[in-house]
Amino acid sequence: MHQFFQAPWRKSLKSFLVLFAFVFANTGMAQNGQLKPLTVADYGQWESLGFSSTFSDDGNWFFYDIRRNNDKNEVRLHHLTDNALKVLPEGSRAQFSANSQWLGYFINPTAEAREKSKKPLRSQFRLLSLNGADSLTVEDVNAFSFSDDSQFLAMKHYTASGKKSDGADLIIRNLKTGKAFNFGNVSDFAWQENGSLLAMTIDADGKAGNGVQLFDAKTNILQVLDSKEAVYTGLNWREESDDLAVFRSFKNEEYEDSTQHILAWQKLTTKAPVASVFDQQSIIGFPADNRVVNNRSLTWSKNGQSIFFEIKVWEKKPVKAEAKEDEEKKDSQDLTDEAPALQIWHSTDVQVIPEQEQLAKRRREDQYLSVWHLSNNKFVQLANDLTESVRLQTDATILIGSDATPYEKEAMFGRGNIDAYTVDIMTGAREKILTKVNYIYAVSPDAQFVPYVEGKDVFVYNIKTKSKKVLSEGLDTSFVNQDDDHPTPDKRPYGFVAWEKKGASFFVHSKFDLWQFYTNGSKPRKITDGKAEQMRSRYAYIDFEDYIDEKEAMYVSLFGTWSKKSGYGMVTPGKKPKQLIWEDARVGRLNKAENAERYAYTIESFSDSPDYFVGSGALTDAKQVSNTNPFQSEYQWGRNELVQYTNANGQELQGSLFYPANYEPGKKYPMITYIYELLSDGLHSYVVPSQRSYYNNSVFTQEGYFVLMPDILFDAGDPGISSVRTMEAAVKTVVDMGVVDEKRVGLIGHSWGGYQAGYAVTQTDIFAASVAGAGLTNLTSMYGMIAWAFGGAPENEHFEVSQERMEVAPYMDVDRYIRNSSVFNVEKLNTPLLFEVGDNDQNVDWRQGIEYYNAARRAGKQFVLLVYANEGHGLGQDKNRSDYQMRILKWFGHYLKGEPIEPWIQQGIPYETQMKNLKNWKK
């Protein structure tokens, strides 16, 4: 399974056993007991790689998380020089010290302990020596961090129960001597980069003693940098320096909330450190009735001369009216004295009131980027009502601001644009440079050029000469996604990568390749060459820091858009690309040790779970270090292949087809068709069998089904109809292969796929049963809803130019809405339909399911509605996830495999009987 490009033949034991199992399963030998069928009882042992994996800085150690279905999780720690493995049961949040001598991690309570305990359990902290020295376990630690010089460890405990402030004990441990210092009431802490200074904010009940303290762990000297009865937040060291900044709250009784003073210290390790305070009351140019907010972090400029932050309007407290002593008491009540519970929505609202309400709750509305220049104590507001959004670049003197106001009417319905401005960070001066654009990128390192995309071409704007130049004209390639079937005015670009460090060129992606464009208009350079083989190259951000050095080799991820192969390559601009690894599998997660030429990546396929491989920068010498799910070789397993078909518009499409685990050539099997949009790229994705994952390919194939996941392109204005025609073509292709019984084909989908699964069965009878989860059913009513899950925005944009692709509002062409809505076509529903909703769905209004239920009930159709209480767009509770999966299997089991019908499928169950059944569940 895991073979390498230009490398000696090599396979892991697990891969060999999986291949062995596949061969025997497909020659019928599994029927003789040599391979076991997978059952629900087997799911618990299954493993998956977690999201955390890290090298030690010297590259000699490597750890990764393992997550199991039965919640028996662990961290696996590999010593790469002697191939030793240490398993850390229930480990999580691991971190190496910079000298690679220590590993800190948390030991979580076991699943059994959590289940038995009546109160929340806390994790233990474990300090593990990697060189054989004594290790240490500490209780009640909430956070930890090693100093960059690896000599010290900071461990912050949980805040004591009943305490009003956030302060807790902080222990600083000398890793060489074991000596420890304890500091109380610490709310936050941060080590200086490349040093031994530890900054702490103190937060005590009553605020007495609050402040910022600086501890030198080498000299054991503690300094109080500032102390007031205030709240200190947002500690921020400037990278590779001894400069520190922090917020300090300030309350004005005339105003709501607090503003923030900004405290900054520069050159803290010198004999003459410089302390500065930003107090808006004494700063020239700070706008009246505004305040500094701390919900965005302080950001240092690269040169340490400036600090960026945000401001917003400071609301005054309402003035209380004084009661008139001589006012006579009224005998009658005036009902207008009490404010009503009211919101006023107006059709001219650019952002509807629910959207404004959610923004207000997040406290990020109308905040403006600003900067404090420390050398001259100067304040400059960078964003304002004109350029409401400014992109921050910490090494630039010119920033790019955008103004969407001229196009806000169009933006209300998904067709917005911006005007672009330059903003001078020293003066705040702004100048319009571009009109009606959408995709504008970072300013060059020399603050001279701005790249952007207009239409289908790449441009650059010269700030100095105030001129623009098209750079991609005449190139036989596309830099915007013209294959995108969403009816938007502008197609989305494939993406800007980064500037070259000298600022004379920049890198962007085309459909298949990486390109270098020059600001002087010279001929662009194609860095990779994947178009002929339909191999997509994308820059891999390995060892990336702000800019690309064109003289150094860079890694690119590779993907065959038609073959579905993947891997990594290496390229230096001007030289021929090298293909390092190219597998008929899914290759990803490339990462590198900080101070060593040691790299790791993963390989997985449908039949082989992901594993890590570690090697040199060449990648071809990598060896497998992990071995997930080795027991899979004991079980039957399916296989995968690509199928090709043509949709009604003559477009060639692909689908992923997965074979039953017990497949025998010559037999015909039932098939489940899972739909959404473009799914064939997931051909090589490994799916852990689990009851928590209700749409699970591995579970379906283990149950004896083929599974088809076809690509679907949609016609604007007719998404449902075009989807059905594509499904018919895809299913026919598989049926014509002779492996699937055409009378036993099922359909399933969720959300947008749920819409299609509910709609298709009103247009075609090729499916014997369908399951639709959280789907739209009435496009006319759903168009008028609010998408609470998307910031309270109205559905207009989503419907017209986004996923629904309807182009116009219902009043402009109601016929297209009706012909693509399930409820208006229910009389043609001849397929049994199982429909799932959560009664707290904030994405697709769950009443869409009720509409379909009522329509199907009136039309006398076979329709079962599952309503899960207190659930959203996807089911979150394990008991509901496993129940839904069970009912999917029972539904398809009856209609596709002829299994006995369940009572809830056959007929309605009275409410009281349902409640009794739930009460006596598993009894």
Side-chain angles (χ1 to χ4, degrees), residues 202 209-215 221-228 265:
I202 307 301
N210 281 14
V212 182
Q213 298 182 3
L214 187 69
F215 179 64
I221 295 176
L222 178 68
Q223 299 180 61
V224 177
L225 298 180
D226 191 77
S227 181
K228 285 184 181 294
W265 295 270

Side-chain angles (χ1 to χ4, degrees), residues 55 76 87 116 150 172 229 271 427 591 603 626 753 777 891:
F55 281 106
R76 293 182 185 170
V87 176
K116 291 179 181 178
S150 301
I172 309 300
E229 289 190 5
K271 294 181 179 180
T427 65
N591 65 82
I603 300 180
S626 67
T777 67
W891 187 264

Side-chain angles (χ1 to χ4, degrees), residues 179-326:
K179 186 177 181 180
F181 288 84
N182 193 345
F183 300 93
N185 294 318
V186 175
S187 57
D188 193 16
F189 67 96
W191 289 105
Q192 172 200 11
E193 190 172 339
N194 300 327
S196 60
L197 295 181
L198 181 78
M200 301 175 284
T201 54
I202 307 301
D203 189 16
D205 285 357
K207 299 181 182 179
N210 281 14
V212 182
Q213 298 182 3
L214 187 69
F215 179 64
D216 189 330
K218 284 186 177 179
T219 64
N220 300 332
I221 295 176
L222 178 68
Q223 299 180 61
V224 177
L225 298 180
D226 191 77
S227 181
K228 285 184 181 294
E229 289 190 5
V231 177
Y232 295 77
T233 57
L235 282 172
N236 192 298
W237 288 98
R238 184 167 70 89
E239 291 182 1
E240 299 181 351
S241 78
D242 52 1
D243 299 344
L244 177 69
V246 69
F247 288 116
R248 182 183 67 198
S249 67
F250 177 78
K251 187 74 174 177
N252 185 323
E253 294 303 325
E254 295 182 6
Y255 292 85
E256 303 282 0
D257 301 313
S258 297
T259 188
Q260 304 290 324
H261 293 162
I262 302 173
L263 313 182
W265 295 270
Q266 297 167 288
K267 302 179 181 178
L268 277 169
T269 58
T270 68
K271 294 181 179 180
V274 178
S276 306
V277 178
F278 182 94
D279 181 347
Q280 65 194 61
Q281 292 181 321
S282 59
I283 293 289
I284 297 174
F286 193 90
D289 295 331
N290 275 250
R291 65 186 179 98
V292 177
V293 294
N294 65 348
N295 57 10
R296 172 169 175 157
S297 300
L298 295 169
T299 303
W300 284 92
S301 63
K302 285 280 188 180
N303 61 15
Q305 297 301 308
S306 308
I307 296 176
F308 298 93
F309 57 97
E310 289 189 350
I311 67 172
K312 68 175 296 183
V313 171
W314 200 359
E315 300 289 345
K316 283 193 173 183
K317 292 180 178 178
V319 179
K320 294 182 179 180
E322 296 182 3
K324 296 181 180 179
E325 295 182 1
D326 58 344

Side-chain angles (χ1 to χ4, degrees), residues 127-138:
L127 175 64
L128 178 66
S129 171
L130 302 179
N131 58 9
D134 291 338
S135 298
L136 176 73
T137 301
V138 184

